[in-house]
Amino acid sequence: MNNQQSLLQWYLLNKRDLPWRNTQNPYLIWLSEIILQQTRVAQGLPYFLKFAQKYPQIESLARAPEDEVLKLWQGLGYYSRGRNMLKTAQFIVEHLQGQFPNSYAELIKLKGIGPYTAAAIASFAFNEAVAVLDGNVFRVLSRFFAISDSIDSVSGKKLFSALANDFLNKSNPALHNQAIMELGALICTPQNPSCAICPLQTNCLAFVQGNPNQFPVKSKKVQTKKRYIAYFHFNYNGKIAVFKRPPGGIWHALYDLPYLESDEPLQKKDWFSQALNKNWLEPKQTLDLIFEKKHILTHQHIYAQFYRVNLTQIPHLQFNETWLNPSELSKLGVSRLLDLYLQKNQAEPIHLL
DNA sequence: AAGCCGGGGGG
DNA sequence: CCCCCAGGCTT
C-alpha cells in the first residue's frame, strides 16, 4: 500500500462522525467551512447545528437580517465571517439563481472564501481534484517531508501548496482531503503527536529523524496588547444605552456599551472625572462597580470594569447610542465580554432607588 | 509582507 | 504562561 492508500484506510476506520460529512450539499458544506475557519470542531459544531436548523436553505439565510445572523454567531468570534457569509448568500440568491458555484475558480471569487475554503467546497461537494491547505495539512506535510520552510511566508505557502497537490489522491480528492485533515487533528497533533499509531509513520521523515516537534516552522509571533476599559451601564427607566460598533476594529457590527479606554490601569475616580468631562454624568451622581473581568483574546488582554449609573435624565453620549430595554437588547449580538456582564446583571438585578 | 480579527481548549 | 484551531481581509 502506498501512503495515500494507508491514509485513506486509516480515515475510513477512524474518522469522527460529523454532520457535514453526511452531505454533498454545497450550501451546508460551505456553512460548515466558514464556521470552522480558525475554529475547533468542538467549538463550531453547535453553531453549525443552529445555523443549519434556522437556515436550511441558502434562500432562508439570504433573507435574514444581519443583526439576527450576528446574534446566532455570538460567542464564535471573528464576526466578519458571519457578515461575509450573509453577503455571499444574498449574492448567490440574487445573481446566481441560488445555485452554488461548482468550481474552485468560481468559489474563490466569493466574499469570505479564500484558497482553503474554495478547495474544501470544490473537493467535498464536487470532488474536484484540488488539495486543501489548512493548519492540519501544513503540519502533516511539514513533518512527513521534514520541511523547515516557514509556513507563514509567501514562498513557504507556495511550496506547501505544490506539495499538497502533488500528494493529493487524484482518484478520490474528497476523501483524501478529509483524511489528511483528520490525521492532523487526531494523530499528527501540534504537541505530542501519536506517531506510534500513525498510518504514515514508516515513511515520515520527521519520525525517522526523531524530531516531529520541530515542525512546522513559523516565523511570525503574535504580540499581545493590554487595554483597560471602563464600560458604563447607563440606566434610565430600565433602559440601557447601547451602540452598534463601527467598522475598523474589534467586534465590528456587534452592540456594545459606551466606554472609556486607557493604556494603563485607572481607578474609579479617574474614570469618573473623565466621564464628567464628557458630560456623560453630573457631579452628584455615583458610579457603582458591578463586575470586573480580564478578557483574554489572541492579540489583546482586556481588563474590563463595568460601572452602573442610574440616570434621571438622558445625557448626550456621542456614541450614536440607542436606549433599549433588556428584551430588545437580548435579540442583538454582543461580545462574549458584554454577554458575561449582562448575564451577571440578570442573575443579580440591582433594585434601585 | 504585515497587521488585524475572537474565543476556547490543552499542555 | 504558551500553543493553535477545517483562514481571510485590509493596508
mmCIF file with all atom_site columns, all heavy atoms in Angstrom, chain A residues 79 154 250-251 295 298 336, chain B residues 1-2 5-9:
data_model
loop_
_atom_site.group_PDB
_atom_site.id
_atom_site.type_symbol
_atom_site.label_atom_id
_atom_site.label_alt_id
_atom_site.label_comp_id
_atom_site.label_asym_id
_atom_site.label_entity_id
_atom_site.label_seq_id
_atom_site.pdbx_PDB_ins_code
_atom_site.Cartn_x
_atom_site.Cartn_y
_atom_site.Cartn_z
_atom_site.occupancy
_atom_site.B_iso_or_equiv
_atom_site.pdbx_formal_charge
_atom_site.auth_seq_id
_atom_site.auth_comp_id
_atom_site.auth_asym_id
_atom_site.auth_atom_id
_atom_site.pdbx_PDB_model_num
ATOM 1   N N     . TYR A 1 79  ? -16.215 37.884 13.747 1.00 0.00 ? 79  TYR A N     1
ATOM 2   C CA    . TYR A 1 79  ? -17.588 38.128 13.322 1.00 0.00 ? 79  TYR A CA    1
ATOM 3   C C     . TYR A 1 79  ? -17.718 38.554 11.870 1.00 0.00 ? 79  TYR A C     1
ATOM 4   O O     . TYR A 1 79  ? -18.815 38.506 11.310 1.00 0.00 ? 79  TYR A O     1
ATOM 5   C CB    . TYR A 1 79  ? -18.228 39.159 14.272 1.00 0.00 ? 79  TYR A CB    1
ATOM 6   C CG    . TYR A 1 79  ? -18.299 38.595 15.671 1.00 0.00 ? 79  TYR A CG    1
ATOM 7   C CD1   . TYR A 1 79  ? -17.275 38.790 16.586 1.00 0.00 ? 79  TYR A CD1   1
ATOM 8   C CD2   . TYR A 1 79  ? -19.371 37.798 16.055 1.00 0.00 ? 79  TYR A CD2   1
ATOM 9   C CE1   . TYR A 1 79  ? -17.310 38.232 17.843 1.00 0.00 ? 79  TYR A CE1   1
ATOM 10  C CE2   . TYR A 1 79  ? -19.428 37.232 17.310 1.00 0.00 ? 79  TYR A CE2   1
ATOM 11  C CZ    . TYR A 1 79  ? -18.388 37.452 18.196 1.00 0.00 ? 79  TYR A CZ    1
ATOM 12  O OH    . TYR A 1 79  ? -18.434 36.870 19.443 1.00 0.00 ? 79  TYR A OH    1
ATOM 13  N N     . VAL A 1 154 ? 5.293   33.756 2.022  1.00 0.00 ? 154 VAL A N     1
ATOM 14  C CA    . VAL A 1 154 ? 4.679   33.551 0.712  1.00 0.00 ? 154 VAL A CA    1
ATOM 15  C C     . VAL A 1 154 ? 5.313   32.354 0.007  1.00 0.00 ? 154 VAL A C     1
ATOM 16  O O     . VAL A 1 154 ? 4.620   31.504 -0.559 1.00 0.00 ? 154 VAL A O     1
ATOM 17  C CB    . VAL A 1 154 ? 4.815   34.820 -0.138 1.00 0.00 ? 154 VAL A CB    1
ATOM 18  C CG1   . VAL A 1 154 ? 4.364   34.554 -1.568 1.00 0.00 ? 154 VAL A CG1   1
ATOM 19  C CG2   . VAL A 1 154 ? 3.986   35.954 0.465  1.00 0.00 ? 154 VAL A CG2   1
ATOM 20  N N     . ILE A 1 250 ? -12.239 45.806 16.607 1.00 0.00 ? 250 ILE A N     1
ATOM 21  C CA    . ILE A 1 250 ? -12.783 44.562 17.120 1.00 0.00 ? 250 ILE A CA    1
ATOM 22  C C     . ILE A 1 250 ? -14.302 44.679 17.256 1.00 0.00 ? 250 ILE A C     1
ATOM 23  O O     . ILE A 1 250 ? -14.842 45.758 17.464 1.00 0.00 ? 250 ILE A O     1
ATOM 24  C CB    . ILE A 1 250 ? -12.113 44.234 18.469 1.00 0.00 ? 250 ILE A CB    1
ATOM 25  C CG1   . ILE A 1 250 ? -12.355 42.789 18.875 1.00 0.00 ? 250 ILE A CG1   1
ATOM 26  C CG2   . ILE A 1 250 ? -12.602 45.181 19.546 1.00 0.00 ? 250 ILE A CG2   1
ATOM 27  C CD1   . ILE A 1 250 ? -11.551 42.379 20.098 1.00 0.00 ? 250 ILE A CD1   1
ATOM 28  N N     . TRP A 1 251 ? -14.974 43.523 17.100 1.00 0.00 ? 251 TRP A N     1
ATOM 29  C CA    . TRP A 1 251 ? -16.425 43.414 17.322 1.00 0.00 ? 251 TRP A CA    1
ATOM 30  C C     . TRP A 1 251 ? -17.248 44.326 16.410 1.00 0.00 ? 251 TRP A C     1
ATOM 31  O O     . TRP A 1 251 ? -18.311 44.820 16.800 1.00 0.00 ? 251 TRP A O     1
ATOM 32  C CB    . TRP A 1 251 ? -16.754 43.691 18.792 1.00 0.00 ? 251 TRP A CB    1
ATOM 33  C CG    . TRP A 1 251 ? -16.115 42.731 19.736 1.00 0.00 ? 251 TRP A CG    1
ATOM 34  C CD1   . TRP A 1 251 ? -15.941 41.385 19.560 1.00 0.00 ? 251 TRP A CD1   1
ATOM 35  C CD2   . TRP A 1 251 ? -15.572 43.020 21.027 1.00 0.00 ? 251 TRP A CD2   1
ATOM 36  N NE1   . TRP A 1 251 ? -15.316 40.827 20.640 1.00 0.00 ? 251 TRP A NE1   1
ATOM 37  C CE2   . TRP A 1 251 ? -15.075 41.822 21.564 1.00 0.00 ? 251 TRP A CE2   1
ATOM 38  C CE3   . TRP A 1 251 ? -15.449 44.193 21.781 1.00 0.00 ? 251 TRP A CE3   1
ATOM 39  C CZ2   . TRP A 1 251 ? -14.472 41.731 22.819 1.00 0.00 ? 251 TRP A CZ2   1
ATOM 40  C CZ3   . TRP A 1 251 ? -14.848 44.114 23.024 1.00 0.00 ? 251 TRP A CZ3   1
ATOM 41  C CH2   . TRP A 1 251 ? -14.366 42.897 23.541 1.00 0.00 ? 251 TRP A CH2   1
ATOM 42  N N     . HIS A 1 295 ? -10.490 39.796 30.090 1.00 0.00 ? 295 HIS A N     1
ATOM 43  C CA    . HIS A 1 295 ? -10.953 39.088 28.894 1.00 0.00 ? 295 HIS A CA    1
ATOM 44  C C     . HIS A 1 295 ? -9.751  38.848 27.986 1.00 0.00 ? 295 HIS A C     1
ATOM 45  O O     . HIS A 1 295 ? -9.125  39.791 27.508 1.00 0.00 ? 295 HIS A O     1
ATOM 46  C CB    . HIS A 1 295 ? -12.017 39.935 28.186 1.00 0.00 ? 295 HIS A CB    1
ATOM 47  C CG    . HIS A 1 295 ? -12.732 39.211 27.096 1.00 0.00 ? 295 HIS A CG    1
ATOM 48  N ND1   . HIS A 1 295 ? -13.401 38.021 27.303 1.00 0.00 ? 295 HIS A ND1   1
ATOM 49  C CD2   . HIS A 1 295 ? -12.899 39.512 25.793 1.00 0.00 ? 295 HIS A CD2   1
ATOM 50  C CE1   . HIS A 1 295 ? -13.946 37.632 26.165 1.00 0.00 ? 295 HIS A CE1   1
ATOM 51  N NE2   . HIS A 1 295 ? -13.661 38.510 25.229 1.00 0.00 ? 295 HIS A NE2   1
ATOM 52  N N     . THR A 1 298 ? -6.624  36.554 21.468 1.00 0.00 ? 298 THR A N     1
ATOM 53  C CA    . THR A 1 298 ? -5.346  36.159 20.902 1.00 0.00 ? 298 THR A CA    1
ATOM 54  C C     . THR A 1 298 ? -4.354  37.302 20.888 1.00 0.00 ? 298 THR A C     1
ATOM 55  O O     . THR A 1 298 ? -3.179  37.117 21.189 1.00 0.00 ? 298 THR A O     1
ATOM 56  C CB    . THR A 1 298 ? -5.556  35.647 19.463 1.00 0.00 ? 298 THR A CB    1
ATOM 57  O OG1   . THR A 1 298 ? -6.385  34.484 19.512 1.00 0.00 ? 298 THR A OG1   1
ATOM 58  C CG2   . THR A 1 298 ? -4.234  35.286 18.820 1.00 0.00 ? 298 THR A CG2   1
ATOM 59  N N     . ARG A 1 336 ? -18.579 38.356 23.850 1.00 0.00 ? 336 ARG A N     1
ATOM 60  C CA    . ARG A 1 336 ? -18.593 37.421 24.967 1.00 0.00 ? 336 ARG A CA    1
ATOM 61  C C     . ARG A 1 336 ? -18.441 38.179 26.289 1.00 0.00 ? 336 ARG A C     1
ATOM 62  O O     . ARG A 1 336 ? -19.061 37.834 27.291 1.00 0.00 ? 336 ARG A O     1
ATOM 63  C CB    . ARG A 1 336 ? -17.439 36.440 24.812 1.00 0.00 ? 336 ARG A CB    1
ATOM 64  C CG    . ARG A 1 336 ? -17.546 35.242 25.686 1.00 0.00 ? 336 ARG A CG    1
ATOM 65  C CD    . ARG A 1 336 ? -18.476 34.228 25.093 1.00 0.00 ? 336 ARG A CD    1
ATOM 66  N NE    . ARG A 1 336 ? -18.599 33.085 25.989 1.00 0.00 ? 336 ARG A NE    1
ATOM 67  C CZ    . ARG A 1 336 ? -19.586 32.970 26.873 1.00 0.00 ? 336 ARG A CZ    1
ATOM 68  N NH1   . ARG A 1 336 ? -20.504 33.914 26.973 1.00 0.00 ? 336 ARG A NH1   1
ATOM 69  N NH2   . ARG A 1 336 ? -19.652 31.919 27.645 1.00 0.00 ? 336 ARG A NH2   1
ATOM 70  P P     . DA  B 2 1   ? 6.352   38.131 0.398  1.00 0.00 ? 1   DA  B P     1
ATOM 71  O OP1   . DA  B 2 1   ? 7.763   37.728 0.319  1.00 0.00 ? 1   DA  B OP1   1
ATOM 72  O OP2   . DA  B 2 1   ? 5.345   37.089 0.525  1.00 0.00 ? 1   DA  B OP2   1
ATOM 73  O "O5'" . DA  B 2 1   ? 6.196   39.128 1.653  1.00 0.00 ? 1   DA  B "O5'" 1
ATOM 74  C "C5'" . DA  B 2 1   ? 7.174   40.145 1.824  1.00 0.00 ? 1   DA  B "C5'" 1
ATOM 75  C "C4'" . DA  B 2 1   ? 6.794   41.023 2.989  1.00 0.00 ? 1   DA  B "C4'" 1
ATOM 76  O "O4'" . DA  B 2 1   ? 5.531   41.689 2.718  1.00 0.00 ? 1   DA  B "O4'" 1
ATOM 77  C "C3'" . DA  B 2 1   ? 6.610   40.276 4.313  1.00 0.00 ? 1   DA  B "C3'" 1
ATOM 78  O "O3'" . DA  B 2 1   ? 7.166   41.071 5.359  1.00 0.00 ? 1   DA  B "O3'" 1
ATOM 79  C "C2'" . DA  B 2 1   ? 5.100   40.140 4.456  1.00 0.00 ? 1   DA  B "C2'" 1
ATOM 80  C "C1'" . DA  B 2 1   ? 4.595   41.388 3.747  1.00 0.00 ? 1   DA  B "C1'" 1
ATOM 81  N N9    . DA  B 2 1   ? 3.301   41.225 3.079  1.00 0.00 ? 1   DA  B N9    1
ATOM 82  C C8    . DA  B 2 1   ? 2.889   40.189 2.299  1.00 0.00 ? 1   DA  B C8    1
ATOM 83  N N7    . DA  B 2 1   ? 1.681   40.333 1.822  1.00 0.00 ? 1   DA  B N7    1
ATOM 84  C C5    . DA  B 2 1   ? 1.270   41.552 2.322  1.00 0.00 ? 1   DA  B C5    1
ATOM 85  C C6    . DA  B 2 1   ? 0.078   42.284 2.186  1.00 0.00 ? 1   DA  B C6    1
ATOM 86  N N6    . DA  B 2 1   ? -0.952  41.861 1.461  1.00 0.00 ? 1   DA  B N6    1
ATOM 87  N N1    . DA  B 2 1   ? -0.002  43.475 2.818  1.00 0.00 ? 1   DA  B N1    1
ATOM 88  C C2    . DA  B 2 1   ? 1.047   43.889 3.536  1.00 0.00 ? 1   DA  B C2    1
ATOM 89  N N3    . DA  B 2 1   ? 2.220   43.289 3.739  1.00 0.00 ? 1   DA  B N3    1
ATOM 90  C C4    . DA  B 2 1   ? 2.260   42.117 3.096  1.00 0.00 ? 1   DA  B C4    1
ATOM 91  P P     . DA  B 2 2   ? 7.207   40.506 6.864  1.00 0.00 ? 2   DA  B P     1
ATOM 92  O OP1   . DA  B 2 2   ? 8.491   40.906 7.456  1.00 0.00 ? 2   DA  B OP1   1
ATOM 93  O OP2   . DA  B 2 2   ? 6.798   39.086 6.854  1.00 0.00 ? 2   DA  B OP2   1
ATOM 94  O "O5'" . DA  B 2 2   ? 6.043   41.353 7.547  1.00 0.00 ? 2   DA  B "O5'" 1
ATOM 95  C "C5'" . DA  B 2 2   ? 5.957   42.749 7.284  1.00 0.00 ? 2   DA  B "C5'" 1
ATOM 96  C "C4'" . DA  B 2 2   ? 4.696   43.306 7.906  1.00 0.00 ? 2   DA  B "C4'" 1
ATOM 97  O "O4'" . DA  B 2 2   ? 3.568   43.037 7.039  1.00 0.00 ? 2   DA  B "O4'" 1
ATOM 98  C "C3'" . DA  B 2 2   ? 4.358   42.720 9.279  1.00 0.00 ? 2   DA  B "C3'" 1
ATOM 99  O "O3'" . DA  B 2 2   ? 4.089   43.785 10.170 1.00 0.00 ? 2   DA  B "O3'" 1
ATOM 100 C "C2'" . DA  B 2 2   ? 3.121   41.862 9.010  1.00 0.00 ? 2   DA  B "C2'" 1
ATOM 101 C "C1'" . DA  B 2 2   ? 2.487   42.576 7.820  1.00 0.00 ? 2   DA  B "C1'" 1
ATOM 102 N N9    . DA  B 2 2   ? 1.659   41.731 6.966  1.00 0.00 ? 2   DA  B N9    1
ATOM 103 C C8    . DA  B 2 2   ? 1.927   40.477 6.507  1.00 0.00 ? 2   DA  B C8    1
ATOM 104 N N7    . DA  B 2 2   ? 0.983   39.971 5.744  1.00 0.00 ? 2   DA  B N7    1
ATOM 105 C C5    . DA  B 2 2   ? 0.030   40.976 5.701  1.00 0.00 ? 2   DA  B C5    1
ATOM 106 C C6    . DA  B 2 2   ? -1.202  41.073 5.046  1.00 0.00 ? 2   DA  B C6    1
ATOM 107 N N6    . DA  B 2 2   ? -1.719  40.098 4.297  1.00 0.00 ? 2   DA  B N6    1
ATOM 108 N N1    . DA  B 2 2   ? -1.913  42.219 5.206  1.00 0.00 ? 2   DA  B N1    1
ATOM 109 C C2    . DA  B 2 2   ? -1.398  43.188 5.968  1.00 0.00 ? 2   DA  B C2    1
ATOM 110 N N3    . DA  B 2 2   ? -0.245  43.218 6.630  1.00 0.00 ? 2   DA  B N3    1
ATOM 111 C C4    . DA  B 2 2   ? 0.434   42.069 6.452  1.00 0.00 ? 2   DA  B C4    1
ATOM 112 P P     . DC  B 2 5   ? -8.154  44.487 15.456 1.00 0.00 ? 5   DC  B P     1
ATOM 113 O OP1   . DC  B 2 5   ? -9.036  45.647 15.638 1.00 0.00 ? 5   DC  B OP1   1
ATOM 114 O OP2   . DC  B 2 5   ? -7.267  44.041 16.547 1.00 0.00 ? 5   DC  B OP2   1
ATOM 115 O "O5'" . DC  B 2 5   ? -9.055  43.248 15.036 1.00 0.00 ? 5   DC  B "O5'" 1
ATOM 116 C "C5'" . DC  B 2 5   ? -9.959  43.403 13.943 1.00 0.00 ? 5   DC  B "C5'" 1
ATOM 117 C "C4'" . DC  B 2 5   ? -10.586 42.075 13.628 1.00 0.00 ? 5   DC  B "C4'" 1
ATOM 118 O "O4'" . DC  B 2 5   ? -9.591  41.197 13.048 1.00 0.00 ? 5   DC  B "O4'" 1
ATOM 119 C "C3'" . DC  B 2 5   ? -11.120 41.350 14.879 1.00 0.00 ? 5   DC  B "C3'" 1
ATOM 120 O "O3'" . DC  B 2 5   ? -12.440 40.925 14.659 1.00 0.00 ? 5   DC  B "O3'" 1
ATOM 121 C "C2'" . DC  B 2 5   ? -10.207 40.140 15.020 1.00 0.00 ? 5   DC  B "C2'" 1
ATOM 122 C "C1'" . DC  B 2 5   ? -9.785  39.906 13.567 1.00 0.00 ? 5   DC  B "C1'" 1
ATOM 123 N N1    . DC  B 2 5   ? -8.522  39.159 13.453 1.00 0.00 ? 5   DC  B N1    1
ATOM 124 C C2    . DC  B 2 5   ? -8.427  38.117 12.523 1.00 0.00 ? 5   DC  B C2    1
ATOM 125 O O2    . DC  B 2 5   ? -9.411  37.861 11.820 1.00 0.00 ? 5   DC  B O2    1
ATOM 126 N N3    . DC  B 2 5   ? -7.273  37.425 12.439 1.00 0.00 ? 5   DC  B N3    1
ATOM 127 C C4    . DC  B 2 5   ? -6.242  37.741 13.224 1.00 0.00 ? 5   DC  B C4    1
ATOM 128 N N4    . DC  B 2 5   ? -5.125  37.030 13.100 1.00 0.00 ? 5   DC  B N4    1
ATOM 129 C C5    . DC  B 2 5   ? -6.320  38.807 14.173 1.00 0.00 ? 5   DC  B C5    1
ATOM 130 C C6    . DC  B 2 5   ? -7.468  39.484 14.250 1.00 0.00 ? 5   DC  B C6    1
ATOM 131 P P     . DG  B 2 6   ? -13.300 40.464 15.923 1.00 0.00 ? 6   DG  B P     1
ATOM 132 O OP1   . DG  B 2 6   ? -14.470 39.637 15.596 1.00 0.00 ? 6   DG  B OP1   1
ATOM 133 O OP2   . DG  B 2 6   ? -13.417 41.724 16.688 1.00 0.00 ? 6   DG  B OP2   1
ATOM 134 O "O5'" . DG  B 2 6   ? -12.249 39.499 16.645 1.00 0.00 ? 6   DG  B "O5'" 1
ATOM 135 C "C5'" . DG  B 2 6   ? -12.279 39.350 18.029 1.00 0.00 ? 6   DG  B "C5'" 1
ATOM 136 C "C4'" . DG  B 2 6   ? -13.272 38.279 18.441 1.00 0.00 ? 6   DG  B "C4'" 1
ATOM 137 O "O4'" . DG  B 2 6   ? -12.894 37.000 17.905 1.00 0.00 ? 6   DG  B "O4'" 1
ATOM 138 C "C3'" . DG  B 2 6   ? -13.352 38.064 19.949 1.00 0.00 ? 6   DG  B "C3'" 1
ATOM 139 O "O3'" . DG  B 2 6   ? -14.650 37.582 20.220 1.00 0.00 ? 6   DG  B "O3'" 1
ATOM 140 C "C2'" . DG  B 2 6   ? -12.278 37.019 20.188 1.00 0.00 ? 6   DG  B "C2'" 1
ATOM 141 C "C1'" . DG  B 2 6   ? -12.425 36.149 18.940 1.00 0.00 ? 6   DG  B "C1'" 1
ATOM 142 N N9    . DG  B 2 6   ? -11.199 35.536 18.438 1.00 0.00 ? 6   DG  B N9    1
ATOM 143 C C8    . DG  B 2 6   ? -9.944  36.072 18.402 1.00 0.00 ? 6   DG  B C8    1
ATOM 144 N N7    . DG  B 2 6   ? -9.060  35.288 17.828 1.00 0.00 ? 6   DG  B N7    1
ATOM 145 C C5    . DG  B 2 6   ? -9.795  34.167 17.457 1.00 0.00 ? 6   DG  B C5    1
ATOM 146 C C6    . DG  B 2 6   ? -9.399  32.982 16.798 1.00 0.00 ? 6   DG  B C6    1
ATOM 147 O O6    . DG  B 2 6   ? -8.276  32.685 16.394 1.00 0.00 ? 6   DG  B O6    1
ATOM 148 N N1    . DG  B 2 6   ? -10.454 32.090 16.632 1.00 0.00 ? 6   DG  B N1    1
ATOM 149 C C2    . DG  B 2 6   ? -11.744 32.333 17.028 1.00 0.00 ? 6   DG  B C2    1
ATOM 150 N N2    . DG  B 2 6   ? -12.631 31.392 16.779 1.00 0.00 ? 6   DG  B N2    1
ATOM 151 N N3    . DG  B 2 6   ? -12.142 33.434 17.633 1.00 0.00 ? 6   DG  B N3    1
ATOM 152 C C4    . DG  B 2 6   ? -11.113 34.309 17.822 1.00 0.00 ? 6   DG  B C4    1
ATOM 153 P P     . DG  B 2 7   ? -15.201 37.538 21.706 1.00 0.00 ? 7   DG  B P     1
ATOM 154 O OP1   . DG  B 2 7   ? -16.659 37.736 21.659 1.00 0.00 ? 7   DG  B OP1   1
ATOM 155 O OP2   . DG  B 2 7   ? -14.357 38.416 22.522 1.00 0.00 ? 7   DG  B OP2   1
ATOM 156 O "O5'" . DG  B 2 7   ? -14.928 36.038 22.135 1.00 0.00 ? 7   DG  B "O5'" 1
ATOM 157 C "C5'" . DG  B 2 7   ? -15.613 35.008 21.440 1.00 0.00 ? 7   DG  B "C5'" 1
ATOM 158 C "C4'" . DG  B 2 7   ? -14.939 33.701 21.700 1.00 0.00 ? 7   DG  B "C4'" 1
ATOM 159 O "O4'" . DG  B 2 7   ? -13.644 33.689 21.057 1.00 0.00 ? 7   DG  B "O4'" 1
ATOM 160 C "C3'" . DG  B 2 7   ? -14.654 33.387 23.176 1.00 0.00 ? 7   DG  B "C3'" 1
ATOM 161 O "O3'" . DG  B 2 7   ? -15.524 32.332 23.543 1.00 0.00 ? 7   DG  B "O3'" 1
ATOM 162 C "C2'" . DG  B 2 7   ? -13.177 32.996 23.212 1.00 0.00 ? 7   DG  B "C2'" 1
ATOM 163 C "C1'" . DG  B 2 7   ? -12.867 32.745 21.745 1.00 0.00 ? 7   DG  B "C1'" 1
ATOM 164 N N9    . DG  B 2 7   ? -11.469 32.889 21.365 1.00 0.00 ? 7   DG  B N9    1
ATOM 165 C C8    . DG  B 2 7   ? -10.634 33.948 21.615 1.00 0.00 ? 7   DG  B C8    1
ATOM 166 N N7    . DG  B 2 7   ? -9.428  33.796 21.128 1.00 0.00 ? 7   DG  B N7    1
ATOM 167 C C5    . DG  B 2 7   ? -9.479  32.540 20.519 1.00 0.00 ? 7   DG  B C5    1
ATOM 168 C C6    . DG  B 2 7   ? -8.486  31.819 19.831 1.00 0.00 ? 7   DG  B C6    1
ATOM 169 O O6    . DG  B 2 7   ? -7.315  32.155 19.603 1.00 0.00 ? 7   DG  B O6    1
ATOM 170 N N1    . DG  B 2 7   ? -8.961  30.593 19.379 1.00 0.00 ? 7   DG  B N1    1
ATOM 171 C C2    . DG  B 2 7   ? -10.235 30.130 19.570 1.00 0.00 ? 7   DG  B C2    1
ATOM 172 N N2    . DG  B 2 7   ? -10.520 28.927 19.075 1.00 0.00 ? 7   DG  B N2    1
ATOM 173 N N3    . DG  B 2 7   ? -11.172 30.783 20.215 1.00 0.00 ? 7   DG  B N3    1
ATOM 174 C C4    . DG  B 2 7   ? -10.738 31.978 20.670 1.00 0.00 ? 7   DG  B C4    1
ATOM 175 P P     . DG  B 2 8   ? -15.540 31.738 25.017 1.00 0.00 ? 8   DG  B P     1
ATOM 176 O OP1   . DG  B 2 8   ? -16.943 31.410 25.286 1.00 0.00 ? 8   DG  B OP1   1
ATOM 177 O OP2   . DG  B 2 8   ? -14.752 32.607 25.914 1.00 0.00 ? 8   DG  B OP2   1
ATOM 178 O "O5'" . DG  B 2 8   ? -14.747 30.372 24.847 1.00 0.00 ? 8   DG  B "O5'" 1
ATOM 179 C "C5'" . DG  B 2 8   ? -15.049 29.538 23.743 1.00 0.00 ? 8   DG  B "C5'" 1
ATOM 180 C "C4'" . DG  B 2 8   ? -13.994 28.470 23.625 1.00 0.00 ? 8   DG  B "C4'" 1
ATOM 181 O "O4'" . DG  B 2 8   ? -12.790 29.035 23.067 1.00 0.00 ? 8   DG  B "O4'" 1
ATOM 182 C "C3'" . DG  B 2 8   ? -13.601 27.815 24.952 1.00 0.00 ? 8   DG  B "C3'" 1
ATOM 183 O "O3'" . DG  B 2 8   ? -13.692 26.413 24.815 1.00 0.00 ? 8   DG  B "O3'" 1
ATOM 184 C "C2'" . DG  B 2 8   ? -12.165 28.266 25.169 1.00 0.00 ? 8   DG  B "C2'" 1
ATOM 185 C "C1'" . DG  B 2 8   ? -11.690 28.455 23.724 1.00 0.00 ? 8   DG  B "C1'" 1
ATOM 186 N N9    . DG  B 2 8   ? -10.543 29.340 23.600 1.00 0.00 ? 8   DG  B N9    1
ATOM 187 C C8    . DG  B 2 8   ? -10.401 30.592 24.146 1.00 0.00 ? 8   DG  B C8    1
ATOM 188 N N7    . DG  B 2 8   ? -9.256  31.148 23.851 1.00 0.00 ? 8   DG  B N7    1
ATOM 189 C C5    . DG  B 2 8   ? -8.605  30.195 23.079 1.00 0.00 ? 8   DG  B C5    1
ATOM 190 C C6    . DG  B 2 8   ? -7.326  30.226 22.469 1.00 0.00 ? 8   DG  B C6    1
ATOM 191 O O6    . DG  B 2 8   ? -6.481  31.136 22.509 1.00 0.00 ? 8   DG  B O6    1
ATOM 192 N N1    . DG  B 2 8   ? -7.061  29.062 21.767 1.00 0.00 ? 8   DG  B N1    1
ATOM 193 C C2    . DG  B 2 8   ? -7.915  28.005 21.664 1.00 0.00 ? 8   DG  B C2    1
ATOM 194 N N2    . DG  B 2 8   ? -7.504  26.966 20.938 1.00 0.00 ? 8   DG  B N2    1
ATOM 195 N N3    . DG  B 2 8   ? -9.112  27.962 22.220 1.00 0.00 ? 8   DG  B N3    1
ATOM 196 C C4    . DG  B 2 8   ? -9.393  29.080 22.912 1.00 0.00 ? 8   DG  B C4    1
ATOM 197 P P     . DG  B 2 9   ? -13.779 25.516 26.121 1.00 0.00 ? 9   DG  B P     1
ATOM 198 O OP1   . DG  B 2 9   ? -15.099 24.864 26.076 1.00 0.00 ? 9   DG  B OP1   1
ATOM 199 O OP2   . DG  B 2 9   ? -13.344 26.277 27.305 1.00 0.00 ? 9   DG  B OP2   1
ATOM 200 O "O5'" . DG  B 2 9   ? -12.681 24.427 25.811 1.00 0.00 ? 9   DG  B "O5'" 1
ATOM 201 C "C5'" . DG  B 2 9   ? -12.524 23.964 24.470 1.00 0.00 ? 9   DG  B "C5'" 1
ATOM 202 C "C4'" . DG  B 2 9   ? -11.150 23.355 24.323 1.00 0.00 ? 9   DG  B "C4'" 1
ATOM 203 O "O4'" . DG  B 2 9   ? -10.183 24.397 24.070 1.00 0.00 ? 9   DG  B "O4'" 1
ATOM 204 C "C3'" . DG  B 2 9   ? -10.662 22.599 25.571 1.00 0.00 ? 9   DG  B "C3'" 1
ATOM 205 O "O3'" . DG  B 2 9   ? -10.074 21.386 25.160 1.00 0.00 ? 9   DG  B "O3'" 1
ATOM 206 C "C2'" . DG  B 2 9   ? -9.641  23.537 26.184 1.00 0.00 ? 9   DG  B "C2'" 1
ATOM 207 C "C1'" . DG  B 2 9   ? -9.077  24.218 24.936 1.00 0.00 ? 9   DG  B "C1'" 1
ATOM 208 N N9    . DG  B 2 9   ? -8.499  25.533 25.186 1.00 0.00 ? 9   DG  B N9    1
ATOM 209 C C8    . DG  B 2 9   ? -9.038  26.552 25.928 1.00 0.00 ? 9   DG  B C8    1
ATOM 210 N N7    . DG  B 2 9   ? -8.286  27.619 25.963 1.00 0.00 ? 9   DG  B N7    1
ATOM 211 C C5    . DG  B 2 9   ? -7.180  27.284 25.201 1.00 0.00 ? 9   DG  B C5    1
ATOM 212 C C6    . DG  B 2 9   ? -6.020  28.038 24.877 1.00 0.00 ? 9   DG  B C6    1
ATOM 213 O O6    . DG  B 2 9   ? -5.735  29.191 25.222 1.00 0.00 ? 9   DG  B O6    1
ATOM 214 N N1    . DG  B 2 9   ? -5.152  27.318 24.077 1.00 0.00 ? 9   DG  B N1    1
ATOM 215 C C2    . DG  B 2 9   ? -5.358  26.029 23.646 1.00 0.00 ? 9   DG  B C2    1
ATOM 216 N N2    . DG  B 2 9   ? -4.415  25.499 22.885 1.00 0.00 ? 9   DG  B N2    1
ATOM 217 N N3    . DG  B 2 9   ? -6.440  25.309 23.941 1.00 0.00 ? 9   DG  B N3    1
ATOM 218 C C4    . DG  B 2 9   ? -7.301  25.996 24.717 1.00 0.00 ? 9   DG  B C4    1
#
